[in-house]
Amino acid sequence: MTGRHAPALAAALLAAGLTPCAASALTVRLMSGSAIGMKSTFEKAETPRSTFEKAGPDSELQSVFVSSEVAPERVETTRSLLSELNARRSEGVIVIDLPADVLFDFDKATIRPDAEPALARAAELLKSYPRAQVSIGGHTDAKGDDAYNEGLSLRRARAVADRLQGPAGRSLKAEGFGERRPVAPNVKPDGADDPAGRQKNRRVEIRIAPQAGG
């Protein structure tokens, strides 16, 4: 045993109740690989890195675009149009909200000329889903008479359906829902009018239920 370990060993023997004489009868040998006298080393463990990957098509975060629903030659065009139209998914259905304030003048159901670019993109998008069921729904805010709003929303839905069904190559179902399906509050929590919420509710929805391959 080397001299540098003697003090530590003596202290350990005394703590164990052994006298120096008894301790002299002991033979201590250092074995190869023994921890005694070896330098202790501590290495920093590597913490697993968190990674975030884009959700797959079956995830709750699935993209609006599903390539298997369109023909291969329409993939890039469809992806671009869905983005430009701010499309969203609702229970598997593609939904496009066209603001009524952009499509029509106040209290009117005649499409404004400056609404043409948005409608042209929507018409082009429908070409990507030739076998999909498509419906057009008109919606209003909560201002005015219920019956009047129902009629106005239906007239607006029909105007959009008439504009789109030619390029789509098929007739499109038009429905008027009036104020029955708001997407935002028409009034604030304190009961005051909410113009921003009412503006969101004045819209025409294009709903596309795709099938595999369009």
Side-chain angles (χ1 to χ4, degrees):
M1 178 171 58
T2 61
R4 63 190 181 90
H5 295 304
L9 179 59
L13 292 173
L14 289 174
L18 297 175
T19 65
C21 293
S24 64
L26 296 176
T27 300
V28 179
R29 289 188 295 173
L30 295 179
M31 304 298 294
S32 176
S34 170
I36 299 177
M38 295 179 65
K39 184 180 179 181
S40 297
T41 59
F42 297 89
E43 296 183 358
K44 184 178 180 181
E46 292 188 3
T47 303
R49 297 173 60 187
S50 297
T51 58
F52 297 88
E53 299 181 359
K54 187 175 180 180
D58 295 328
S59 150
E60 292 181 1
L61 300 178
Q62 76 173 36
S63 171
V64 173
F65 175 72
V66 179
S67 60
S68 62
E69 295 173 348
V70 301
E73 65 272 15
R74 296 284 301 179
V75 166
E76 292 305 320
T77 297
T78 304
R79 193 197 308 271
S80 177
L81 289 169
L82 289 170
S83 176
E84 293 172 9
L85 291 166
N86 295 316
R88 57 187 172 88
R89 283 265 179 175
S90 177
E91 298 179 351
V93 175
I94 298 172
V95 183
I96 299 167
D97 297 303
L98 299 177
D101 293 358
V102 174
L103 297 175
F104 310 99
D105 288 325
F106 176 72
D107 203 31
K108 303 295 183 182
T110 301
I111 296 175
R112 293 167 43 155
D114 55 354
E116 182 57 30
L119 291 174
R121 286 193 290 270
E124 184 64 27
L125 178 64
L126 293 183
K127 295 179 182 178
S128 296
Y129 302 97
R131 298 190 296 128
Q133 181 179 349
V134 180
S135 62
I136 313 296
H139 304 265
T140 68
D141 59 24
K143 287 282 188 179
D145 179 73
D146 290 352
Y148 182 83
N149 285 338
E150 291 276 344
L152 177 62
S153 64
L154 178 58
R155 292 194 299 275
R156 287 178 168 179
R158 284 174 174 168
V160 172
D162 289 344
R163 166 62 182 82
L164 297 179
Q165 64 186 10
R170 56 194 149 154
S171 60
L172 304 177
K173 181 181 180 181
E175 301 176 275
F177 298 99
E179 61 188 72
R180 288 180 285 134
R181 297 186 180 180
V183 292
N186 286 291
V187 296
K188 298 178 180 179
D190 62 0
D193 182 41
D194 189 342
R198 289 194 296 104
Q199 184 179 42
K200 292 178 181 178
N201 291 329
R202 297 191 299 269
R203 69 198 189 281
V204 173
E205 277 187 359
I206 302 173
R207 299 179 65 87
I208 306 169
Q211 300 180 26

